[in-house]
Amino acid sequence: MITIFIIHPSAGLAVLLGLLVLAGGAWAEEAPGRESPRLVRFVEARYPEAARQAGLEARVPLRLRLDVEGRVLEAEGVEPVGHGFDEAAREAVLAMRFSPAMRDGKPKPSRLVYTYVFQLPARAVPVAAAPQAPVLVPEPQDAIEVLVQGPSQAQRLRQSSEAVQVVETGNIQREAADLGEALARTEGVGVRRAGGLGSRSRFSLAGLTDEQIRFFVDGVPLYLAGYGPELANVPVNLVQRVEVYQGVVPTRFGTDALGGAVQLVTDQRVEGTGAAVSYELGSFDTHRLTLGVRHLHAPSGLFVRANAFFDRTLNDYLVTAPVADTRGRLTTARVHRFHDGYGAQGASVEAGVVDKPWAQRLLLRAFVHANGKQVQNGPTMNKVYGEVTSGESSAGLIARYSHVPVPGLTVDAIAGYNLRRTRLDDVGTCTYDWYGRCTVEDPNSPGEIGASAVQQRVVQHTGFARVDAGWIPASGHRLTLSLAPTRVGRTGENLWLRGGTEVDPLLPRRDLVSTVTGLEYARVAFQERLENVLFLKDYYQHAQAQKLLPSQVFTPVDRTLHGLGVGDSVRWRLRPGLLTKASYEYATRLPRPDEIFGDGVLVHDNLDLVPERSHNANLELLLEDTPTPSGTWRGRVLGFGRLADNLILLLGRDSYFTYQNVYAA
């Protein structure tokens, strides 16, 4: 495999050059016989926990008075900012130490203004701007800045009470690996693909699989985000990190999940200008190209980002399949998959404003996506196809809004619309063998999968939203209310049945309305050694459809499902760097539209499905990054239990699949 990257982080370069220019100017303006104070001992301020949880940032200017030895005698706030920032900055600066101001070779008392900048990691300036070394002060009255960062989002998640693993993709992006291969290296995660790029993959997490796991891209369900339905097909170079939630899923996702959730987080930077290009060349004529650009116009706060990807592969690898010999007897042979090619492409543009008084972020993303695949065989390899094809296209809009309307109150909202079209074309008149030869041709009996030809077209309209409102009534306490409604409408048609006497089962409209509501209470105590999160969930689903009876007559089906869930997560810090966690959830998963209505390709409907339910428990011991003479160590031990009922599995028959409630596990 060959992977090529071109990255242009012009924003970081500009900041670095700016610092060099400022430093050069300061040296040039130093008056003869005078020397300004310099920072010789830096003390990092604590980031106020309530402000961090609320997503607040601040700049705290302080007037400092130094004695002849450079000690800080006074630190007076120029303009209070609240939320605990003033106290944290003053506490830190009083413990700092400077070199004394000098005049004609003698130390003198001095005054200066310092500004502490409290900034969350997602929007932090490059490391080059953080004054971890002594800072030059041109004149005692001039202002300088000290940047204080909290832990990164990945560190915060690992240190939280949530049962989550974080996979940062920095190293993976430099390999010719897709997300499926990358996640398969994570403990407790298994990924098995039915074939090459574009084929169905089986994802398992702590014993539960496939649809029992929910997948998200930046908080949006994967199948609505414009990357296609398969996790492994998302370009890894568009993903910054992967969060794997095992069995216990936070309410902020607004979802029902039996075995956990996987969140793909794309590049969230909204500063400067940059571009990235990646090209991958692999076996079986596989080509993958991704591109991305971003730009922030700082004076106006206008931000624009665009991404695109392009995938192509023949998937003509060798397999072992049953092949008839010259006498018609079946024997096994090594043959190429001659009809398994796959192609996909997609693009998105995101634009909006950031850091406004009325919105921290307001972004609108538009996307298009399309893929096409040749179908080589059905659920088993006893029947081979040579002309069957399937495909999918989608387009949509996603709006994001986040704001802190008043101190202690945060609002995060996502709303969107997705139009998805799927197709299945099976109109061939040949019967093929595994060598790609047309052994029998019958123009009067088209169709390779079943007894007749198929030209299925299914159109699905999906509207969705998720609103999270957080409130901090007091330090160490937080309440969060989440509401996530989804509405799906679906119609379809088999073009081959037009004008015929046979009834088309795809024609009636089908509607599905689902709502997941969550209420969460988080408590941090004992100097942040203890974190406990208690949550409740409510699940509602209403389906309307028409089922075709054997008598070729449609009958209405109107069904409502309802369920409740509860959970708790607790984290205790035994000592610095060593944590223990315990979590539990009584989880419910409602059937998805594709499980109830089919996918319009090879999966048929099942209007009798009932929800899956499970008791999920985790117990974990976590060793954070611990430096030692032999290197930095990280360790994790996880024990889990899953007691599930009414599991929904995809079962195959001779020519199609259906989802069925099967058993407890």
Side-chain angles (χ1 to χ4, degrees):
M1 297 262 186
I2 301 174
T3 307
I4 303 172
F5 298 92
I6 304 172
I7 300 176
H8 178 59
S10 57
L13 180 61
V15 171
L16 181 58
L17 291 175
L19 288 173
L20 293 175
V21 171
L22 288 175
W27 280 109
E29 295 172 4
E30 191 78 56
R34 292 187 179 184
E35 185 178 341
S36 301
R38 293 174 174 81
L39 181 64
V40 296
R41 185 178 70 193
F42 175 73
V43 177
E44 185 175 358
R46 60 178 176 82
Y47 209 108
E49 178 63 22
R52 181 185 64 77
Q53 292 182 2
L56 300 179
E57 299 178 344
R59 302 166 67 91
V60 183
L62 296 167
R63 287 193 184 92
L64 308 185
R65 184 167 68 89
L66 310 181
D67 64 10
V68 294
E69 296 182 359
R71 290 186 295 244
V72 182
L73 301 179
E74 294 179 3
E76 178 186 0
V78 176
E79 183 179 351
V81 298
H83 307 295
F85 289 118
D86 304 284
E87 294 81 358
R90 185 174 183 276
E91 178 185 359
V93 81
L94 286 172
M96 291 166 57
R97 188 69 179 268
F98 294 80
S99 64
M102 305 293 290
R103 179 176 295 179
D104 298 326
K106 296 181 180 180
K108 297 290 183 180
S110 59
R111 295 178 182 272
L112 66 150
V113 175
Y114 250 71
T115 300
Y116 260 101
V117 180
F118 290 83
Q119 198 168 60
L120 294 170
R123 290 153 57 191
V125 299
V127 175
Q132 302 299 326
V135 177
L136 175 67
V137 182
E139 291 291 338
Q141 293 298 330
D142 289 343
I144 64 176
E145 292 188 355
V146 174
L147 175 68
V148 179
Q149 293 189 48
S152 69
Q153 181 65 16
Q155 291 172 319
R156 288 172 53 194
L157 287 170
R158 292 189 185 106
Q159 295 169 6
S160 72
S161 62
E162 297 171 350
V164 59
Q165 295 184 78
V166 182
V167 180
E168 295 176 275
T169 61
N171 293 331
I172 301 170
Q173 290 174 353
R174 294 168 177 83
E175 304 175 14
D178 60 38
L179 279 174
E181 294 168 332
L183 289 176
R185 307 170 188 171
T186 306
E187 62 268 23
V189 175
V191 180
R192 297 178 62 187
R193 183 179 288 161
L197 184 65
S199 302
R200 290 182 179 272
S201 58
R202 183 177 179 84
F203 185 96
S204 64
L205 176 60
L208 296 174
T209 61
D210 296 337
E211 299 298 340
Q212 295 153 358
I213 318 298
R214 295 303 199 201
F215 299 94
F216 297 88
V217 178
D218 298 329
V220 177
L222 174 62
Y223 72 100
L224 300 175
Y227 296 102
E230 290 290 333
L231 174 73
N233 296 333
V234 179
V236 68
N237 297 301
L238 300 181
V239 178
Q240 191 177 60
R241 70 174 184 273
V242 184
E243 302 165 4
V244 182
Y245 296 85
Q246 295 183 309
V248 180
V249 180
T251 59
R252 63 178 176 273
F253 287 105
T255 190
D256 54 323
L258 199 73
V262 176
Q263 158 97 322
L264 309 181
V265 181
T266 62
D267 188 353
Q268 298 296 296
R269 289 176 295 176
V270 291
E271 80 277 353
T273 300
V277 180
S278 168
Y279 175 72
E280 178 183 322
L281 173 64
S283 302
F284 316 116
D285 200 22
T286 297
H287 303 264
R288 307 194 75 178
L289 173 68
T290 61
L291 309 107
V293 296
R294 72 174 191 279
H295 174 67
L296 172 66
H297 183 250
S300 64
L302 179 63
F303 179 73
V304 180
R305 172 167 42 212
N307 291 303
F309 67 93
F310 178 88
D311 297 336
R312 284 291 182 274
T313 183
L314 288 180
N315 282 334
D316 58 345
Y317 51 90
L318 285 168
V319 295
T320 300
V323 176
D325 60 16
T326 55
R327 301 177 61 181
R329 296 174 301 184
L330 288 180
T331 60
T332 58
R334 295 286 287 172
V335 292
H336 281 273
R337 295 182 69 85
F338 63 90
H339 186 66
D340 199 26
Y342 172 79
Q345 53 276 327
S348 67
V349 177
E350 188 174 37
V353 294
V354 297
D355 296 327
K356 292 295 183 181
W358 41 270
Q360 286 185 330
R361 293 191 184 191
L362 177 59
L363 301 172
L364 180 65
R365 176 175 176 260
F367 66 84
V368 292
H369 164 265
N371 67 57
K373 190 174 189 319
Q374 299 170 335
V375 180
Q376 178 73 85
N377 55 273
T380 68
M381 298 182 70
N382 292 320
K383 196 170 184 180
V384 59
Y385 311 138
E387 298 180 49
V388 182
T389 62
S390 66
E392 175 186 315
S393 63
S394 64
L397 293 171
I398 299 174
R400 299 176 181 274
Y401 174 76
S402 61
H403 188 41
V404 183
V406 296
L409 180 65
T410 60
V411 177
D412 289 285
I414 298 175
Y417 165 78
N418 180 285
L419 171 63
R420 186 180 75 166
R421 300 176 185 271
T422 59
R423 64 173 177 82
L424 174 65
D425 290 305
D426 175 22
V427 295
T429 58
C430 277
T431 299
Y432 288 86
D433 63 14
W434 271 105
Y435 295 102
R437 299 175 302 203
C438 176
T439 57
V440 178
E441 185 172 8
D442 185 359
N444 297 320
S445 180
E448 299 178 70
I449 296 178
S452 62
V454 173
Q455 283 185 292
Q456 287 186 175
R457 302 292 185 268
V458 174
V459 179
Q460 178 171 296
H461 301 267
T462 303
F464 63 95
R466 195 201 73 214
V467 180
D468 294 326
W471 177 47
I472 302 176
S475 178
H477 300 263
R478 181 180 177 87
L479 284 171
T480 304
L481 176 65
S482 300
L483 182 65
T486 302
R487 183 181 183 116
V488 177
R490 178 179 289 190
T491 57
E493 182 182 12
N494 185 350
L495 302 180
W496 196 261
L497 298 179
R498 281 183 177 179
T501 58
E502 189 176 348
V503 178
D504 187 352
L506 297 177
L507 283 176
R509 179 178 174 85
R510 303 178 177 195
D511 294 286
L512 188 70
V513 177
S514 302
T515 302
V516 179
T517 306
L519 180 62
E520 179 181 283
Y521 169 67
R523 177 76 171 100
V524 178
F526 303 113
Q527 298 179 331
E528 301 185 17
R529 294 182 64 189
L530 172 69
E531 180 184 61
N532 189 76
V533 179
L534 176 66
F535 60 88
L536 301 172
K537 294 181 181 179
D538 180 87
Y539 310 95
Y540 169 84
Q541 186 181 79
H542 180 71
Q544 287 182 310
Q546 295 189 55
K547 186 174 183 178
L548 183 62
L549 299 178
S551 60
Q552 299 296 293
V553 175
F554 289 105
T555 181
V557 176
D558 193 322
R559 189 189 69 175
T560 299
L561 301 174
H562 183 262
L564 294 173
V566 62
D568 187 78
S569 300
V570 61
R571 182 264 293 156
W572 179 259
R573 190 181 298 277
L574 300 173
R575 63 176 182 79
L578 185 63
L579 312 174
T580 183
K581 301 182 183 183
S583 55
Y584 165 81
E585 181 179 0
Y586 177 56
T588 296
R589 188 182 78 85
L590 303 170
R592 278 188 52 192
D594 281 356
E595 294 173 325
I596 299 175
F597 301 141
D599 67 353
V601 184
L602 295 177
V603 179
H604 287 201
D605 63 10
N606 183 355
L607 301 175
D608 299 319
L609 287 176
V610 299
E612 300 174 317
R613 303 184 191 276
S614 180
H615 297 275
N616 298 340
N618 302 298
L619 183 62
E620 181 179 354
L621 184 66
L622 177 65
L623 176 67
E624 298 178 291
D625 289 347
T626 303
T628 69
S630 60
T632 299
W633 293 82
R634 177 189 297 172
R636 180 173 181 265
V637 178
L638 173 68
F640 65 88
R642 306 286 185 262
L643 184 61
D645 194 22
N646 284 323
L647 290 180
I648 299 174
L649 295 184
L650 182 63
L651 303 180
R653 296 190 178 181
D654 184 47
S655 59
Y656 64 91
F657 297 87
T658 57
Y659 286 95
Q660 303 281 345
N661 292 105
V662 289
Y663 53 75

